[in-house]
Amino acid sequence: MTTMAQVICGLARRWCFGALGSPLQVPCLQALPLHLGRTATRASQRDLENAVHQVKLWKKDPGNEVKLKLYALYKQATEGPCNLPKPGMMDLVNKAKWDAWSALGSLPKETARENYVDLVSSLSAASEPPSPAKPAADGEQAGGDLVVTSENHITTITFNRPAKKNAITTQMYQDIMLALQAASKDDSVLTVLTGNGEYYCSGNDLTNFTDIPPEGPEEKARTNAILLREFVDCFIDFPKPLVAVVNGPAVGISVTLLGLFDLVYASDRATFHTPFGPLGLSPEGCSSYTFPKMMGPSKAAEMLIFGRKLTAQEACAQGLVTEVFPDSTFQKEVWTRLRAYTKLPPNAVRTSREVMRSKGRERLHAVNAEECGALQQRWLSEECTSAVVRFLSRRGKL
Ligand SMILES: CCCCCCCCCCC/C=C/C(=O)SCCNC(=O)CCNC(=O)[C@H](O)C(C)(C)COP(=O)(O)OP(=O)(O)OC[C@H]1O[C@@H](n2cnc3c(N)ncnc32)[C@H](O)[C@@H]1OP(=O)(O)O
């Protein structure tokens, strides 16, 4: 049986409707001849084939609702009433398709054919001609998704996916670990994490959930729990002061990790959001321990369980942020401050850092392991998969 996660996996790469044989791989709406040359009132088999062909030429995604309608009408027109067994509750995508087809009841094949052709005609007529290729999105920058620079005894790791609000891909998790490993050995005094563009980081890239290996979602969840544990361990064990230069909104894991940083400087534009409840997830990055310790259990619960978003000022009042700067002078003031700190005796800085971290290190590793175990279960839950499908589907990724 195909599982929910496997379906999501497939959808990330192709249009779901292809899976049941309906030719709906629709890349773009463009101006097409009205009614596809059909003159008679009843649509023929040939009209249907023409319409299907036109759909294949579309260059713009018409949205899930339309795709489901087209899928259902095509199946009804070619096979009659729905003859598939009802998919399981977790198989959200196939269930949506099954629901759409079943909803047509005993609609005659000819009527379904006609409705399909009419729907394609109306969408084609309403659509615009293809536009020339657009320039890169605002703020998009050459270079990889992660940029690492080392200058004036500061190693800076920059999230560099502004068009995706700096969401963290699986590759980026790996690259951050490598960058931290290198920074722990280079001549830098401070290691900084920051974001390029409007956002600091929008957290875990939710399409990470779609890349399911042939061994299945359980294996994916297991390996991701290991990856996440190793990733957070790198922050726990990092031997030098870690500084977050939070240039804009921060979401999810980019917020929870801040409890493991030594300094968190934020622009007054920044916000701090951990929407684990709505995502069917639970906290990570040791935040289930660091946040209550820092802000008290009730404020921590408001953020981590109920997903309350904090402004930079609020986060500062709760101890999550060290200092807030006006956005207009943020970069200048923060980097001046950091450069001054690099003039301090490096061994003293390192020793102070070590004695501060050593007391809680063992506890942090235990918390990390527990959080990753809980998440491994959460990732496989219907609550989480539905939330991810909702996000991806709203953005036309399914
Ligand atoms: C089997 C299990 C596998 C699990 C693998 C897990 C590995 C480790 C996991 C570690 C645990 C981490 C947890 C978290 O971080 S939870 C938080 C996750 N993040 C979110 O929920 C934020 C989602 N994004 C948003 O809510 C909005 O995009 C946002 C408020 C950030 C901005 O909204 P706005 O309307 O201003 O902009 P858009 O939504 O149009 O976004 C612009 C484009 O950026 C894409 N985007 C943004 N955020 C993400 C994201 N987190 N993942 C993927 N893509 C993202 C968005 O889709 C837009 O793209 P397009 O222009 O292509 O549509």
Side-chain angles (χ1 to χ4, degrees):
M1 196 187 92
T2 314
T3 68
M4 165 66 192
Q6 282 162 330
V7 171
I8 299 172
C9 162
L11 289 178
R13 293 197 216 97
R14 62 182 162 72
W15 278 39
C16 50
F17 305 91
L20 287 182
S22 174
L24 280 172
Q25 238 144 315
V26 183
C28 173
L29 290 176
Q30 60 185 29
L32 293 168
L34 273 178
H35 296 276
L36 313 157
R38 182 164 66 96
T39 48
T41 44
R42 304 292 297 181
S44 65
Q45 183 58 30
R46 180 72 187 272
D47 293 327
L48 178 68
E49 283 159 20
N50 282 341
V52 165
H53 179 67
Q54 291 302 335
V55 168
K56 284 185 187 160
L57 297 177
W58 287 352
K59 295 207 175 93
K60 193 169 142 201
D61 186 331
N64 281 347
E65 204 180 322
V66 169
K67 287 189 284 187
L68 277 173
K69 259 189 208 150
L70 288 171
Y71 164 79
L73 287 170
Y74 180 84
K75 295 296 277 184
Q76 190 88 7
T78 54
E79 295 179 35
C82 182
N83 52 12
L84 292 174
K86 188 172 182 175
M89 197 183 68
M90 292 285 284
D91 194 356
L92 293 189
V93 174
N94 282 322
K95 182 156 179 315
K97 290 158 73 179
W98 188 91
D99 286 343
W101 186 6
S102 295
L104 296 180
S106 55
L107 188 76
K109 277 185 171 183
E110 298 69 33
T111 314
R113 193 162 64 201
E114 194 167 335
N115 291 354
Y116 184 98
V117 171
D118 286 343
L119 181 57
V120 172
S121 286
S122 61
L123 288 170
S124 300
S127 66
E128 294 182 357
S131 50
K134 280 197 190 132
D138 279 353
E140 214 157 21
Q141 177 178 296
D145 291 344
L146 201 72
V147 174
V148 184
T149 56
S150 223
E151 217 180 336
N152 299 324
H153 301 290
I154 302 178
T155 292
T156 306
I157 302 171
T158 306
F159 302 116
N160 187 40
R161 288 183 83 208
K164 301 287 179 190
K165 314 288 183 196
N166 295 327
I168 311 175
T169 60
T170 308
Q171 185 61 51
M172 286 164 76
Y173 285 109
Q174 305 277 10
D175 291 344
I176 292 168
M177 287 195 271
L178 290 176
L180 288 176
Q181 243 168 44
S184 69
K185 296 189 195 106
D186 68 18
D187 70 351
S188 61
V189 177
L190 302 176
T191 299
V192 172
L193 251 79
T194 191
N196 175 32
E198 178 202 355
Y199 262 67
Y200 172 67
C201 174
S202 61
N204 183 46
D205 187 313
L206 293 174
T207 65
N208 286 342
F209 286 85
T210 62
D211 183 20
I212 308 297
E215 299 79 33
E218 288 80 10
E219 179 58 14
K220 169 85 177 174
R222 192 185 69 79
T223 53
N224 272 297
I226 295 171
L227 169 68
L228 180 62
R229 186 170 167 186
E230 285 173 0
F231 177 75
V232 175
D233 276 349
C234 285
F235 286 82
I236 298 172
D237 293 328
F238 192 69
K240 301 176 185 180
L242 273 169
V243 183
V245 173
V246 186
N247 52 297
V251 186
I253 190 163
S254 72
V255 176
T256 54
L257 281 175
L258 295 177
L260 298 172
F261 279 61
D262 302 278
L263 297 171
V264 179
Y265 292 140
S267 151
D268 59 7
R269 234 173 27 79
T271 51
F272 298 82
H273 192 200
T274 48
F276 302 131
L279 286 171
L281 291 174
S282 52
E284 80 288 290
C286 295
S287 58
S288 63
Y289 172 69
T290 57
F291 280 30
K293 202 164 161 240
M294 171 191 309
M295 53 184 83
S298 152
K299 291 287 180 189
E302 230 186 342
M303 275 193 89
L304 297 174
I305 303 176
F306 301 107
R308 173 149 190 263
K309 191 198 285 187
L310 300 193
T311 63
Q313 296 295 355
E314 286 170 332
C316 194
Q318 299 309 331
L320 181 61
V321 164
T322 315
E323 192 169 335
V324 181
F325 299 81
D327 194 55
S328 54
T329 55
F330 176 62
Q331 297 290 345
K332 189 162 175 262
E333 289 195 60
V334 165
W335 290 102
T336 304
R337 173 95 54 101
L338 294 180
R339 273 191 288 272
Y341 287 164
T342 62
K343 306 283 187 279
L344 293 167
N347 292 334
V349 168
R350 215 176 154 132
T351 305
S352 301
R353 171 56 158 67
E354 176 53 25
V355 294
M356 286 177 78
R357 174 54 51 93
S358 61
K359 282 162 212 66
R361 185 174 286 125
E362 220 171 291
R363 183 68 195 266
L364 290 170
H365 282 302
V367 170
N368 185 24
E370 188 193 348
E371 289 178 345
C372 291
L375 271 173
Q376 185 175 340
Q377 304 303 315
R378 290 280 83 224
W379 288 327
L380 294 169
S381 71
E382 200 268 336
E383 290 173 347
C384 174
T385 45
S386 301
V388 173
V389 168
R390 263 199 308 279
F391 175 83
L392 298 177
S393 151
R394 243 186 265 133
R395 279 152 182 86
K397 303 280 190 282
L398 295 185

